[in-house]
Amino acid sequence: MNRKARWWGLALVALVASCKCGSESDPTGTGGSGEPPPLVEVTTPEGGEPVSLAIIEAFTRREETPPRTSFVTSEELVVRARVTGGEAGLVDRIKWTVTPVGTRTGPAEPATATGAELTFRGKSAQSVAGSRDPNPPLEYEVLGVLDLEDGRGLEVKLPPSSFLRQDETDTLRQEYVDYDTDFQPTLANIRVPGNTTLNRGNYTLVAEETPGDLDKLLQDVDAELNKLLKDDVQVVPVGTVTRSPATVVVSAGGSVLMLGPLGDTTPSGDDVCAGLRVGGLCAGPILAGPNRRADTTANNRVATVSVEPFITSAFRNPQRNRFIGSGSINSRHTRGRALDIDPRSMVVPGRDARQLMCLVELAGIRVVGEEDSFTENGPVTFLDCNDPAADHVHIQR
C-alpha cells in the first residue's frame, strides 16, 4: 500500500480519537442530568450501595479550539474522573498511571498523579535522523484506580477509541517540535493541498506559514515566465514600409540575466533574423529584409507554459527535508514557502535548457526578488543559471 494512502485508514481512527470528548466541567460531581456521559465507567457495591468510578473527559488543552484528544508534546493533556456513591472524598483518592504506547512515544511528564484530574504532557522519542516515511503517531494509555476501604478496588482505562493519540495533523506538527524549528505550525497552518504537486513530504498534508502561499507562488511564477516568453517589442507596425532592409521591425525583449536579450518571434514574409538561432528559430531582433516592409508580428509563437510539471520539490516536512540532505532545519520548504523547478525538459520553441533555466530564475526574481531566486545543483551548491551543471531553480518567499 502507498505510504501516504495508509494515512487515510489512520484518519478514520483519528476522527474518533480527535472527537470532542467532553468540556471543562466540574469533575467532582456525584451525578445529575447536567453531567457529560462517561467515556468508561465501572461500579461495585460498597456498604450496601453502589460506588462508581468513571472517566468523564479526556482532551488537549488548547486555546479557542474544540476539545480533542490528539496533541503535540508542547500541549497539556487533561483526563478527568468522577466518583458516584460511597463516602465523601473518594474522588481525591483516584490514582492515575500514564503508559506510553509504542517505542516512539516517550514517558509522560508526570507519569502518575492522584485526584479527580490528571494533567500531563507527552514526550517524543522519535528519531530526527531524517526519513521518507511518515512518523508513527504518539499515544498514551491512561489507567485510573480507586482503592476502597475493604481492600477491593475499581479500575478504569480509556477505551481504544479514546486513546490520547496523535492524528495525522499533529503527527506532522510534532516533527516541528522534535526539530525545534523556528516555525511551529498551529492547526490553522495545516491543510490538504489543492495541488498535490506542491506536496513533496511524507504526509497527505502540508504546513504553510501563510496557507495557500505555495499555490500563489506557483501562479505568480507561471505568470512572469509567460510574460518573459512574450516580451518582444513591435518597433515598426506590420505593413509599414521602412527606409532600409536593415531596419529593426521587432526587437528582442529585455536582457535575461547574463544571456542578454532573447527574442520570441519568428520572422514572416521576407523579414530577416539578425541574431542568434536556437533550434533553427530566431532568438534575436528581426529586420525588414529586402522588401523593406515590416511583415512580422511580435511574439507570434504560441508558447503558454506552466512550471508545475517541472517542480522537483515544494513542501517538505522536517524529516523529509533532512533525508534529502538539506543544510537547514528552517528551510523555506518546511515552511511552505519554496519551489524547486527543473525546466531543462520543458519544450519551448527557440529555447534550450540553459536559456530556460535562466528564464525561470528571472521569473522568480520578478516575483520574490534577487536574493530569493537562484540556481543550484543539489540542495546546497549555488551556480549561475547558464552553468551546465545547474539542475534546478530555487524560488522562495
Side-chain angles (χ1 to χ4, degrees):
M1 182 182 292
N2 181 279
R3 58 185 175 80
K4 287 186 179 180
R6 291 200 299 266
W7 273 110
W8 295 112
L10 287 175
L12 294 175
V13 176
L15 285 173
V16 178
S18 300
C19 67
K20 181 174 179 178
C21 294
S23 57
E24 298 197 33
S25 57
D26 179 10
T28 60
T30 58
S33 60
E35 294 182 346
L39 299 176
V40 61
E41 185 172 25
V42 293
T43 303
T44 188
E46 171 75 7
E49 69 170 307
V51 176
S52 296
L53 172 63
I55 294 178
I56 56 172
E57 295 180 291
F59 60 91
T60 304
R61 202 189 301 278
R62 284 176 174 158
E63 294 294 330
E64 300 178 357
T65 62
R68 57 202 301 271
T69 62
S70 184
F71 63 95
V72 295
T73 54
S74 59
E75 298 168 334
E76 195 173 60
L77 298 153
V78 180
V79 179
R80 288 174 174 164
R82 71 174 178 230
V83 175
T84 305
E87 62 186 274
L90 283 179
V91 72
D92 298 323
R93 287 162 39 188
I94 299 172
K95 297 177 181 178
W96 297 100
T97 303
V98 186
T99 304
V101 178
T103 59
R104 301 288 188 88
T105 305
E109 297 177 349
T112 60
T114 302
E117 180 175 291
L118 164 68
T119 301
F120 70 98
R121 293 179 189 269
K123 186 175 182 180
S124 174
Q126 303 276 20
S127 167
V128 290
S131 173
R132 62 181 299 164
D133 296 312
N135 282 344
L138 306 183
E139 61 180 305
Y140 290 92
E141 184 178 88
V142 174
L143 174 69
V145 176
L146 175 62
D147 294 325
L148 301 175
E149 294 294 342
D150 60 4
R152 291 178 300 127
L154 294 173
E155 184 177 292
V156 287
K157 183 185 295 186
L158 281 178
S161 62
S162 299
F163 274 0
L164 298 170
R165 174 192 177 103
Q166 290 180 333
D167 58 16
E168 186 183 5
T169 294
D170 285 334
T171 304
L172 172 55
R173 292 178 63 223
Q174 183 65 46
E175 289 195 16
Y176 292 82
V177 178
D178 293 342
Y179 276 84
D180 193 26
T181 56
D182 293 341
F183 170 48
Q184 293 289 312
T186 67
L187 295 178
N189 296 117
I190 307 295
R191 71 182 185 101
V192 177
N195 185 340
T196 56
T197 304
L198 300 175
N199 184 9
R200 299 306 172 100
N202 299 348
Y203 303 89
T204 64
L205 305 170
V206 299
E208 294 175 291
E209 282 188 300
T210 304
D213 199 36
L214 275 174
D215 290 284
K216 182 67 164 54
L217 182 58
L218 172 58
Q219 293 166 10
D220 291 347
V221 172
D222 273 351
E224 290 301 326
L225 179 59
N226 281 289
K227 289 178 185 177
L228 287 169
L229 291 173
K230 300 179 179 68
D231 69 346
D232 285 1
V233 179
Q234 188 81 47
V235 179
V236 179
V238 173
T240 302
V241 177
T242 67
R243 292 185 177 184
S244 167
T247 300
V248 174
V249 297
V250 175
S251 66
S255 179
V256 178
L257 301 179
M258 64 279 297
L259 299 182
L262 294 176
D264 304 300
T265 304
T266 298
S268 301
D270 75 344
D271 290 355
V272 177
C273 178
L276 176 73
R277 287 182 177 271
V278 178
L281 295 177
C282 185
I286 295 172
L287 310 183
N291 68 5
R292 297 184 294 115
R293 186 178 65 236
D295 296 320
T296 303
T297 300
N299 305 303
N300 58 12
R301 294 179 199 150
V302 179
T304 299
V305 300
S306 174
V307 300
E308 180 184 341
F310 308 97
I311 291 173
T312 57
S313 193
F315 168 76
R316 298 193 298 254
N317 55 292
Q319 285 278 60
R320 186 59 166 262
N321 191 60
R322 177 156 289 176
F323 177 81
I324 61 96
S326 174
S328 172
I329 61 171
N330 294 307
S331 164
R332 303 285 180 95
H333 286 287
T334 66
R335 296 152 69 181
R337 294 175 57 184
L339 298 174
D340 288 346
I341 302 162
D342 179 3
R344 291 174 295 175
S345 60
M346 184 183 291
V347 178
V348 178
R351 294 287 171 268
D352 60 25
R354 179 175 59 98
Q355 293 169 340
L356 288 168
M357 195 74 73
C358 291
L359 281 163
V360 171
E361 181 177 331
L362 180 56
I365 289 171
R366 290 186 173 186
V367 173
V368 298
E370 190 170 358
E371 296 297 319
D372 290 319
S373 180
F374 44 85
T375 300
E376 297 179 299
N377 177 281
V380 293
T381 304
F382 300 95
L383 298 171
D384 289 335
C385 63
N386 63 342
D387 191 311
D391 64 12
H392 73 274
V393 177
H394 175 91
I395 303 171
Q396 63 184 26
R397 286 200 197 272

